[in-house]
Amino acid sequence: DAAARVDPAVHHCLDFKPPFRPLRELEFCVMYKEFGCCDYQRDQELMTKYYQIMDHFDHYGYANCAGFVLELLCQECSPYAAHLFDAEDPSTPVRTIPGLCPEYCSQFWKKCSATIPFLSDDPHTAEIKEDQTLLCQYLKLDDVDYCYPHLLSSQKLTQNLGRVQSDSEGCLQLCLEEVANGLQNPLAMVHANDGTHRFFVAEQVGLVWIYLPERSKLERPFLNITRTVLTSSWEGDERGFLGLTFHPKYKYNGKLYVYYSVEVGFDERIRISEFHVSAKDMNVVDHASERVILEIDEPASNHNGGQLLFADDGYLYVFTGDGGMAGDPFGKYGNAQNKSALLGKVLRIDVNDNERGPLYRIPPDNPFIQERGARPEIYAYGVRNMWRCSVDRGDQWTKEGKGRIFCGDVGQNKFEEIDIIEKGRNFGWRAKEGFSCYDKKLCANSSLDDVLPIYAYPHKMGKSVTGGYVYRGCEYPNMNGMYIFGDFMSGRLMSLREDRNTGRWKYNEICMGKGLTCAFPGLINNYHQYIISFAEDEAGELYFMSTGIPSATSPSGVIYKIVDPSRRAPPRQCHYDPLPVRVKSNLIKFKTLPEPPPTEPFDWLQELIDRLGGPEPTTPLPTTTTTKSTKQLRRKGRHRKGKSRTESTPELQNGVVRLVGDEQGRSDRGRVEIYVNRDWGTVCDDLWTTKNAAVVCRQLGFRYALKAAKNSEFGEGKDLQILLDDVQCVGTESSLLDCKHAGVGTHNCAHYEDAGVICGNLHYIVEI
């Protein structure tokens, strides 16, 4: 599912909420004590069940089967529990034994088939338990990526997702230009259509940054609602700041609209709010101006929708998810088919001239105003979780296609789809998924009258569509009319183009140009694999945002401009003069990140595997980018001018540091944690100085250490050991391990003395 992205196909628990770090350390399923789906109470229940089972066996049975029983019981605590127990598909009961890989199942049956009646009360399992072939066939998962224990080391499941072999025939050779980096899960980039050609980039944590046309970033955020936004740092959490759009008359009324997750009491909701820009600074929102336009209760943490846009009719369109879980299980027909619910819908409201009276009005031609029991805000229904929609600007000369609204709707088990929104129409979910029936009973209903997608693709190509844009820019004429979109999980870039004669849409995969195709200054032919969102600047050029680590707090997000190396517009044809911007904030000049040194990558999956005690991956896991060519998808580093790096990325090395614990999720400050001998740990603040901090900051790519924080200013790392104490650096060392210290693991301090830093590229701090 789409994430803000971010996606249950990464991992989810049986309650469809993200994994977590237990407040109290687990005593039984210790392999998941740092990160998983069980709290202490459930862990104790599983331990009780374990002893109840093992009481039935003698010493021989205990010696052979105790390990199997423990592993099988504890998979309920795995971050991938929803997949292991087949919980995503509501048409099938939740498994009583997790999905097992054939080899493991065979070993389990041969040694411990006698434990099966105690592990499962499933009647069918009891019938076939004596037949190894039937049993292991029954316990097999349809999606082999997630069977236990293969998922612990599956390249496909993680960094290798997008490296599928692709046919070179018809594969479009495009290049990229990096325009911004260091962002925390950037999931929206919009312009204000005010002639300034600024672009506004939203991060999932609740920050919006301004970039000027020459790509400098304003140091002060445009909007900061991090304290209100509900999200977490766990990979796959779909909650957070999800959407942003500017009023068509923003230049005159200064109004903008945001879509974000919020917690009200014990309820999770999605909130659509209106803000005004500050009267004193055109680059800052007046945070006191917030007016809540609409709030909708969310029954689960996934499928939150998140798109806001103004169409050509001047009305605000709101795209909501179906409420979460799997299969839209709410009510008789689900939320999406229920016109008395706002979830699973395209809503259209009028927020013009709302200074007095209601905050929004119902457009008089909304399709269900006269239908009894239907919410009048509904414009279209039957959608699952539309992740990223856009309005077609139309052909520059003929205006053909102008005003069409394209959306990517994330699928359930089999298909992802692209839709063009039509007024009053039913887009099929949960009766249909793509062109296929999902709920057979609803699908057979003659009154369904659903509109079909313009394109759908199966999960072997990708498992979470990210909708894009029709290219209508000036710079690359060959791309005119091409709808470009992607897949969050597989990392595929794709395109559709309409055949004017038949009205059908032709599919072409987009491959990064190989060889010398992208051998031009500033161009690259690779990208981070998790494609979060697409964007269009004020001039109509296209971009996309992706990240290497799908977490709201990971600063690995990059924005890429899509470039066609085969043809450009004539010189000066695309020239424009942006209106001047009065800047009161400091500017941060854009610079591409250098080739990552061995100390830079933080491989979240490798750390998870290490913590879970799983087997080593057979090859090093890539941590930087996904590179695609027409023939194959290879593990590479960042390509510049056609030169390639080595074929693999080094594993995490001793001395790597990371910053954690900042309440606002800022990547330039936090508690210092260091990696030594396969363990993360903290550093004591005894003798902690700015020279020590400078080593950490420079290692993370910052120019200066602005503060050496002491006394656990960024919280205590109680779950970690203290690895360094009495650190004394000159300031030029490459890591803290190169400085004088008391010895790894030797200390005379406690976690209330955990050291931290504040880094920056300027000599002073601008507090947000």
Side-chain angles (χ1 to χ4, degrees):
D1 284 77
R5 221 41 181 168
V6 288
D7 188 287
V10 177
H11 40 240
H12 254 80
C13 303
L14 294 179
D15 61 357
F16 294 92
K17 292 189 176 182
F20 52 88
R21 176 176 289 181
L23 290 174
R24 185 172 175 183
E25 191 170 288
L26 307 187
E27 295 177 352
F28 178 62
C29 297
V30 293
M31 66 284 278
Y32 301 117
K33 68 179 182 180
E34 297 287 342
F35 182 67
C37 290
C38 289
D39 60 10
Y40 179 81
Q41 179 181 342
R42 185 57 186 154
D43 180 66
Q44 294 296 297
E45 292 169 356
L46 291 173
M47 179 160 47
T48 300
K49 184 174 181 179
Y50 167 81
Y51 285 118
Q52 288 172 347
I53 293 173
M54 297 316 299
D55 279 347
H56 292 87
F57 296 91
D58 58 16
H59 175 76
Y60 178 82
Y62 197 98
N64 276 289
C65 300
F68 281 112
V69 172
L70 184 149
E71 288 179 350
L72 294 178
L73 288 176
C74 285
Q75 292 321 299
E76 186 179 326
C77 302
S78 165
Y80 305 96
H83 298 283
L84 286 165
F85 289 88
D86 217 10
E88 317 100 298
D89 188 350
S91 66
T92 60
V94 174
R95 292 168 176 261
T96 53
I97 296 177
L100 304 181
C101 301
E103 303 85 358
Y104 183 93
C105 182
S106 176
Q107 294 175 22
F108 166 63
W109 184 87
K110 288 175 182 176
K111 294 183 178 181
C112 302
S113 61
T115 65
I116 293 173
F118 304 106
L119 287 166
S120 172
D121 58 2
D122 175 23
H124 187 64
T125 302
E127 290 174 10
I128 62 173
K129 71 181 181 68
E130 302 299 334
D131 188 319
Q132 176 189 334
T133 303
L134 288 178
L135 180 74
C136 290
Q137 182 68 28
Y138 184 59
L139 294 181
K140 189 176 74 171
L141 284 176
D142 290 337
D143 193 337
V144 296
D145 290 353
Y146 292 97
C147 69
Y148 182 83
H150 174 67
L151 61 79
L152 293 178
S153 58
S154 170
Q155 298 286 309
K156 278 187 179 181
L157 181 61
T158 55
Q159 309 289 50
N160 215 24
L161 283 166
R163 302 180 186 275
V164 184
Q165 297 293 316
S166 60
D167 184 357
S168 63
E169 184 177 349
C171 201
L172 305 174
Q173 302 272 310
L174 297 180
C175 303
L176 304 174
E177 181 182 354
E178 185 178 309
V179 299
N181 51 43
L183 290 157
Q184 300 177 101
N185 245 36
L187 43 70
M189 168 181 155
V190 298
H191 62 84
N193 198 34
D194 61 356
T196 64
H197 290 261
R198 294 172 294 174
F199 56 87
F200 300 76
V201 178
E203 296 178 320
Q204 189 178 349
V205 291
L207 289 166
V208 179
W209 303 98
I210 291 180
Y211 289 80
L212 299 180
E214 37 81 17
R215 296 177 185 169
S216 290
K217 173 185 175 183
L218 271 63
E219 190 174 51
R220 185 179 182 187
F222 178 65
L223 177 68
N224 179 5
I225 53 172
T226 52
R227 293 187 177 182
T228 308
V229 169
L230 173 65
T231 189
S232 76
S233 61
W234 299 123
E235 289 89 352
D237 194 340
E238 299 182 31
R239 303 165 301 176
F241 189 103
L242 302 176
L244 166 71
T245 192
F246 289 84
H247 194 281
K249 296 181 179 178
Y250 173 79
K251 185 175 180 179
Y252 308 103
N253 63 24
K255 288 161 60 171
L256 60 139
Y257 298 84
V258 300
Y259 185 130
Y260 61 94
S261 305
V262 66
E263 195 165 35
V264 180
F266 294 103
D267 298 326
E268 292 185 10
R269 298 178 184 175
I270 52 174
R271 175 182 289 172
I272 289 86
S273 284
E274 175 189 272
F275 285 90
H276 279 77
V277 71
S278 169
K280 299 177 181 178
D281 189 340
M282 68 183 296
N283 296 308
V284 177
V285 164
D286 177 0
H287 289 70
S289 69
E290 180 175 12
R291 299 197 298 171
V292 177
I293 300 292
L294 185 64
E295 276 190 357
I296 305 172
D297 282 335
E298 277 285 348
S301 295
N302 56 336
H303 300 188
N304 301 305
Q307 183 70 50
L308 291 177
L309 59 80
F310 282 93
D312 286 1
D313 56 17
Y315 296 129
L316 178 63
Y317 287 71
V318 181
F319 298 79
T320 64
D322 67 7
M325 297 195 185
D328 195 3
F330 308 101
K332 188 175 181 180
Y333 306 111
N335 281 325
Q337 292 296 320
N338 178 6
K339 290 197 283 268
S340 67
L342 294 179
L343 294 171
K345 305 296 187 300
V346 181
L347 311 178
R348 182 173 73 154
I349 58 177
D350 182 357
V351 292
N352 298 302
D353 305 317
N354 65 349
E355 286 74 20
R356 296 181 180 179
L359 293 174
Y360 71 86
R361 296 177 174 85
I362 305 300
D365 62 336
N366 266 16
F368 303 111
I369 290 179
Q370 304 301 327
E371 184 172 322
R372 186 175 180 181
R375 289 293 297 256
E377 295 94 340
I378 297 173
Y379 184 78
Y381 64 106
V383 306
R384 184 173 180 273
N385 192 39
M386 286 186 164
W387 183 251
R388 295 313 178 227
C389 304
S390 63
V391 180
D392 185 359
R393 294 187 178 199
D395 184 90
Q396 185 178 358
W397 309 108
T398 67
K399 303 303 178 185
E400 181 181 358
K402 182 172 168 47
R404 296 180 297 183
I405 300 175
F406 288 77
C407 289
D409 199 4
V410 179
Q412 180 70 47
N413 300 327
K414 296 180 179 178
F415 297 102
E416 307 296 306
E417 66 183 67
I418 300 294
D419 297 302
I420 297 179
I421 302 303
E422 297 179 29
K423 175 182 172 181
R425 296 303 301 275
N426 180 1
F427 285 83
W429 175 252
R430 74 183 185 202
K432 288 185 178 177
E433 178 187 11
F435 296 102
S436 167
C437 284
Y438 178 80
D439 183 320
K440 293 181 179 178
K441 188 175 180 180
L442 284 179
C443 193
N445 191 329
S446 59
S447 65
L448 187 65
D449 189 30
D450 61 314
V451 58
L452 294 175
I454 63 169
Y455 181 71
Y457 62 91
H459 276 192
K460 67 181 181 181
M461 292 173 59
K463 296 180 180 179
S464 186
V465 67
T466 300
Y469 283 78
V470 177
Y471 181 80
R472 300 297 186 184
C474 172
E475 295 180 16
Y476 308 111
N478 285 345
M479 290 167 50
N480 183 43
M482 185 187 298
Y483 178 73
I484 296 177
F485 63 107
D487 188 276
F488 174 77
M489 289 300 295
S490 71
R492 281 181 189 264
L493 283 171
M494 299 171 272
S495 73
L496 299 172
R497 194 188 288 272
E498 188 177 20
D499 186 315
R500 295 179 182 176
N501 297 320
T502 65
R504 295 181 179 178
W505 292 81
K506 181 185 177 184
Y507 170 84
N508 285 96
E509 185 167 354
I510 293 174
C511 298
M512 295 293 95
K514 59 184 294 189
L516 299 177
T517 306
C518 300
F520 298 95
L523 296 189
I524 56 176
N525 67 347
N526 60 359
Y527 53 90
H528 285 306
Q529 71 185 51
Y530 296 101
I531 300 173
I532 307 172
S533 192
F534 286 79
E536 181 183 59
D537 68 17
E538 197 164 348
E541 302 305 321
L542 291 195
Y543 304 75
F544 71 89
M545 287 145 276
S546 68
T547 184
I549 303 173
S551 161
T553 57
S554 171
S556 60
V558 179
I559 301 177
Y560 305 96
K561 182 179 181 181
I562 299 173
V563 174
D564 178 7
S566 66
R567 179 189 171 195
R568 63 168 182 158
R572 302 293 300 171
Q573 180 176 318
C574 304
H575 176 77
Y576 56 85
D577 293 309
L579 293 177
V581 177
R582 298 185 301 277
V583 176
K584 297 183 178 181
S585 169
N586 293 299
L587 295 180
I588 302 172
K589 296 292 184 181
F590 169 73
K591 61 179 180 179
T592 58
L593 295 177
E595 290 286 336
T599 55
E600 184 189 58
F602 167 46
D603 188 337
W604 63 269
L605 178 83
Q606 182 63 61
E607 186 188 6
L608 175 61
I609 291 172
D610 290 342
R611 287 181 175 182
L612 301 188
E616 290 292 321
T618 54
T619 56
L621 298 176
T623 56
T624 51
T625 56
T626 296
T627 304
K628 297 189 173 189
S629 68
T630 48
K631 293 287 185 184
Q632 58 183 344
L633 298 160
R634 300 187 299 269
R635 182 180 295 111
K636 288 184 181 288
R638 191 174 296 252
H639 290 198
R640 304 278 183 198
K641 302 183 182 179
K643 297 179 181 178
S644 66
R645 293 177 64 220
T646 56
E647 289 293 319
S648 62
T649 304
E651 292 189 33
L652 210 59
Q653 294 194 359
N654 285 343
V656 172
V657 290
R658 65 186 183 189
L659 303 182
V660 297
D662 179 54
E663 290 182 356
Q664 298 185 33
R666 291 169 289 192
S667 60
D668 62 352
R669 62 196 68 191
R671 180 175 66 251
V672 175
E673 294 183 355
I674 186 167
Y675 186 82
V676 185
N677 298 332
R678 302 182 65 79
D679 279 316
W680 286 98
T682 61
V683 180
C684 263
D685 64 13
D686 295 337
L687 307 180
W688 190 247
T689 67
T690 52
K691 290 183 178 180
N692 300 350
V695 172
V696 173
C697 292
R698 195 171 56 255
Q699 196 173 343
L700 293 169
F702 295 97
R703 293 176 64 189
Y704 304 112
L706 305 180
K707 182 178 181 181
K710 297 185 177 184
N711 300 320
S712 63
E713 180 178 332
F714 294 102
E716 298 181 18
K718 291 181 178 179
D719 295 327
L720 302 177
Q721 58 184 310
I722 298 171
L723 288 179
L724 291 182
D725 190 12
D726 294 334
V727 180
Q728 299 177 69
C729 302
V730 176
T732 57
E733 294 88 346
S734 59
S735 88
L736 295 179
L737 293 180
D738 298 326
C739 305
K740 291 182 180 179
H741 54 80
V744 174
T746 302
H747 65 86
N748 184 27
C749 57
H751 279 295
Y752 65 81
E753 300 170 275
D754 283 346
V757 296
I758 298 179
C759 306
N761 293 312
L762 297 169
H763 282 293
Y764 53 89
I765 304 175
V766 178
E767 283 292 350
I768 296 173

